Amino acid sequence: MAQGQTTRLLRHYIHGRSVEGEGSRRGDVLNPATGEVQAQVVLGTAADLEKAVASAEKAFAKWSNTSPMARARVMFKFRELVLNELDSLAEMLSSEHGKTFSDAKGDIQRGLDVVDFACGIPHLLKGENSDVDGSGIDIRSYRQPLGVVSGITPFNFPAMIPLWMGAVAIACGNAFILKPSERDPGVPIRLGELMLEAGAPEGVMNVIHGDKEMVDAILAHPAIKAVSFVGSTPIARYVYATGAANGKRVQAMGGAKNHALILPDADMDVVTNALIGAGYGSAGERCMAISVAVPVGEKTADRLIEALAPRVRDLRIAPPMEDLDMGPLVTAAHRDKVRGYIDLGIEEGAELVVDGRGFKMDRQGYENGYYLGGCLFDRVKPEMRIYKEEIFGPVLGVVRAASYEEALKLPSEHEFGNGVAIFTQNGRLAQHFATHVNVGMVGVNVPIPVPLGFHTFGGWKASAFGGVNQHGPEGVRFYTQVKTVTSRWPLDGSSGPEFTIPTQKT
C-alpha cells in the first residue's frame, strides 16, 4: 500500500447494509501475489453478532413461511446473478487468495453446482404419507427449517464452501449467518449482496467477520440452532465439542491426508497428469489435494518418479491472473510453515527428489509474493511426520508399498479419512478397494473424488465430526428437522378411553 493511500475497509453485511460494527480491531487482507496489504476487514464482537442474529430472526419469520416454489425462484435468480459476475468474482477471489484465475472460476462454479441442487427444493422437501387402512388414522411427516443457522468457512474456498452451506440452508427456509475467513472475505460479502438482489428478504443472508472471538460467540449464542464448519482438524474438534455442548446441531469438516494408490497396470501418463493437478493445483491448499502417492511395487514406484519428477520441476508458477499452473500460497506465515515441513522431511530421512524451496519470483512488483516451488519426496515412511500430518502446500510424498494389501492399509489406518483414489485397469481390485478402504470419499481413476452437488460431501475419522455430511440430501437433512403428524377422523364416534399404549389393530 503506497504511503498516504487510504486502506479499503471491508465491513459486515447485516440486514442488507454494510455495517462497520462495534469492534475496533482490524485484520489485514493481503494480496498473496505481491505481499501487499490491499484492504482491512473489521473483526467483529459478540455485540455485532447480536445484531446479525436479530436481523436473521426477523427474516426467518417471513422466509420460513415463503413457499418452497418461491424460494426456488430466488435461488434461480441468485444463480443467474452469480454467473453474470463470474469473471469479476473470480478476479477478486484470486487477488485475496492467490489461486489462479481459472481455479478461482472453478471454485465459484463448484459452489454453483450446489445452488443448482438447491433450486430443486420443492421436490427435496416433499414429505411422506401413510394411510393406515381400517383405523381412520393418517400419518404424514415433513421437514421444517431449523431457524437461524451459521456457517464458518475456511480461506481456501471462499466461494465454494459458503455456497455449499448457504444455498441449502437458505433454500430450506432458514436464515443464514456466514462467518468467512478473515483472509479473503471479499467474495462472501458480494454473495450476501447478490442474495438480497435475487429477492431474499433482508437478513436471510448476513455476513459477519471475525476471528476466534466471533467463532466462540457463534458457538455460544442460544438463537443459532446449527453450525457448519470447514477447517483444520483441531479446530473442527473444538467447534463440534463446543457447539454440541451448547445444544447445537454441528457438522465440522477437518483435515486430510489423501492417498492415491497406483497399481502396476495403471496408465502412467494418466497417473502423472492426475497427480500433477491434484497434488499441486491451488498450491496444494485443498482439503481434497492428493498429498500421498502409493505405487505398488518397486518398478511401479521407479516409473512414477521418473515420469513425475520432471513435471514437478516444470510447474509454471506465476501471479494468479496469468493463469498458469500455480500461484502463491495464502500468507508468508503459511509458506514458511510448509517450508518447515520440507526441512523436517529431509531430517526424517525422506528423499527430496524435487526441491522447490529456492523458487524466486523475479517479476517486477511480485518479488515479495508468497511463492514456493513444487516439492516431491520419495521413500516417505508411515512413521514420519510429513506422512502423518497435513502439510497443505505443494508437497507430494511417495510411499512405496510392496503389495496391494500393504497399500490398502495405508489410507485405511491413517488418522484422516477424507478422500482416496486408486489408479488401475483391474475392475475387480477397484471394486474391492472401494468397498474395503476406510475412507469416506473414493475415486477410481479419479484423483479428486469430490461428488457432484446432488450427492453428498464428507470424510470419515478425524476428517469429519457430527455424522451428517454437506450438501446433497444430507445437507437438506442437516438444515431441517422432521415433524410427524398423526391424524384420526373417526366415523363412528368415540369408543371410550384406552389406558394401554396404542397399537395397530388388524
Side-chain angles (χ1 to χ4, degrees), residues 122-204:
H123 173 75
L124 296 167
L125 289 180
K126 286 195 304 185
E128 298 175 327
N129 185 76
S130 295
D131 181 8
V132 184
D133 293 334
S135 66
I137 292 177
D138 293 326
I139 303 173
R140 63 188 178 98
S141 62
Y142 56 96
R143 292 190 168 273
Q144 292 185 321
L146 300 176
V148 178
V149 299
S150 182
I152 302 170
T153 59
F155 75 86
N156 60 322
F157 284 99
M160 183 183 79
I161 295 177
L163 288 169
W164 281 8
M165 297 176 183
V168 178
I170 292 169
C172 286
N174 301 284
F176 182 65
I177 297 175
L178 172 63
K179 205 295 290 181
S181 170
E182 62 273 25
R183 296 177 185 176
D184 43 15
V187 170
I189 295 170
R190 185 59 184 148
L191 294 177
E193 295 170 346
L194 292 176
M195 185 63 72
L196 180 67
E197 188 176 336
E202 295 172 339
V204 160

Side-chain angles (χ1 to χ4, degrees), residues 210-235:
D211 48 17
K212 186 178 184 297
E213 180 178 337
M214 181 57 69
V215 171
D216 286 341
I218 290 170
L219 295 175
H221 201 292
I224 297 175
K225 305 302 181 184
V227 176
S228 182
F229 171 85
V230 175
S232 69
T233 286
I235 302 177

Side-chain angles (χ1 to χ4, degrees), residues 76-106:
F76 274 112
K77 182 63 176 177
F78 175 70
R79 177 186 184 276
E80 176 188 347
L81 294 173
V82 174
L83 277 174
N84 288 344
E85 296 191 14
L86 182 60
D87 284 355
S88 61
L89 288 170
E91 185 173 352
M92 184 190 305
L93 196 159
S94 289
S95 73
E96 293 182 359
H97 175 275
K99 64 176 66 179
T100 64
F101 181 65
S102 60
D103 194 24
K105 290 176 72 173

Side-chain angles (χ1 to χ4, degrees), residues 130-458:
S130 295
D131 181 8
V132 184
D133 293 334
S135 66
I137 292 177
D138 293 326
I139 303 173
R140 63 188 178 98
S141 62
Y142 56 96
R143 292 190 168 273
Q144 292 185 321
L146 300 176
V148 178
V149 299
S150 182
I152 302 170
T153 59
F155 75 86
N156 60 322
F157 284 99
M160 183 183 79
I161 295 177
L163 288 169
W164 281 8
M165 297 176 183
V168 178
I170 292 169
C172 286
N174 301 284
F176 182 65
I177 297 175
L178 172 63
K179 205 295 290 181
S181 170
E182 62 273 25
R183 296 177 185 176
D184 43 15
V187 170
I189 295 170
R190 185 59 184 148
L191 294 177
E193 295 170 346
L194 292 176
M195 185 63 72
L196 180 67
E197 188 176 336
E202 295 172 339
V204 160
M205 183 172 177
N206 292 324
V207 182
I208 191 161
H209 310 293
D211 48 17
K212 186 178 184 297
E213 180 178 337
M214 181 57 69
V215 171
D216 286 341
I218 290 170
L219 295 175
H221 201 292
I224 297 175
K225 305 302 181 184
V227 176
S228 182
F229 171 85
V230 175
S232 69
T233 286
I235 302 177
R237 279 196 178 101
Y238 173 80
V239 167
Y240 176 69
T242 307
N246 285 317
K248 303 186 189 310
R249 185 177 293 187
V250 183
Q251 56 178 194
M253 306 297 166
K257 199 72 177 182
N258 305 315
H259 296 59
L261 275 64
I262 300 102
L263 271 57
D265 68 339
D267 184 318
M268 197 55 69
D269 288 336
V270 171
V271 170
T272 304
N273 286 329
L275 291 181
I276 282 290
Y280 300 95
S282 198
E285 293 174 327
R286 295 171 174 163
C287 68
M288 291 298 290
I290 293 294
S291 54
V292 180
V294 186
V296 175
E298 289 295 321
K299 290 183 179 179
T300 307
D302 291 342
R303 288 171 54 220
L304 176 66
I305 293 295
E306 182 181 1
L308 195 56
R311 297 287 299 276
V312 178
R313 293 189 186 98
D314 291 342
L315 282 167
R316 300 173 301 167
I317 303 169
M321 292 307 293
E322 293 191 18
D323 206 22
L324 296 178
D325 297 331
M326 195 173 81
L329 278 77
V330 68
T331 65
H334 184 59
R335 178 200 58 198
D336 294 344
K337 179 181 178 181
V338 174
R339 279 180 177 168
Y341 271 111
I342 300 164
D343 296 340
L344 175 64
I346 296 170
E347 293 174 10
E348 290 182 313
E351 179 185 340
L352 186 57
V353 178
V354 181
D355 185 355
R357 291 173 296 174
F359 177 84
K360 300 291 184 184
M361 179 56 67
D362 55 6
R363 313 282 182 86
Q364 186 174 0
Y366 298 97
E367 300 89 345
N368 296 320
Y370 312 132
Y371 298 93
L372 183 66
C375 296
L376 175 64
F377 277 107
D378 191 11
R379 303 187 186 280
V380 175
K381 303 297 183 183
E383 62 270 17
M384 296 178 179
R385 281 181 56 197
I386 63 165
Y387 173 77
K388 294 178 180 179
E389 299 176 13
E390 185 176 38
I391 297 175
F392 221 62
V395 183
L396 178 65
V398 175
V399 180
R400 297 178 176 228
S403 65
Y404 165 75
E405 290 75 17
E406 180 183 332
L408 174 63
K409 287 182 179 180
L410 289 168
S412 295
E413 295 179 355
H414 200 282
E415 174 189 9
F416 298 121
N418 209 39
V420 69
I422 186 170
F423 290 87
T424 181
Q425 298 180 53
N426 187 323
R428 182 183 61 80
L429 273 181
Q431 185 179 45
H432 181 275
F433 177 79
T435 301
H436 291 90
V437 68
N438 187 22
V439 174
M441 291 176 283
V442 181
V444 177
N445 299 317
V446 174
I448 303 179
V450 178
L452 295 177
F454 47 87
H455 284 270
T456 191
F457 176 97

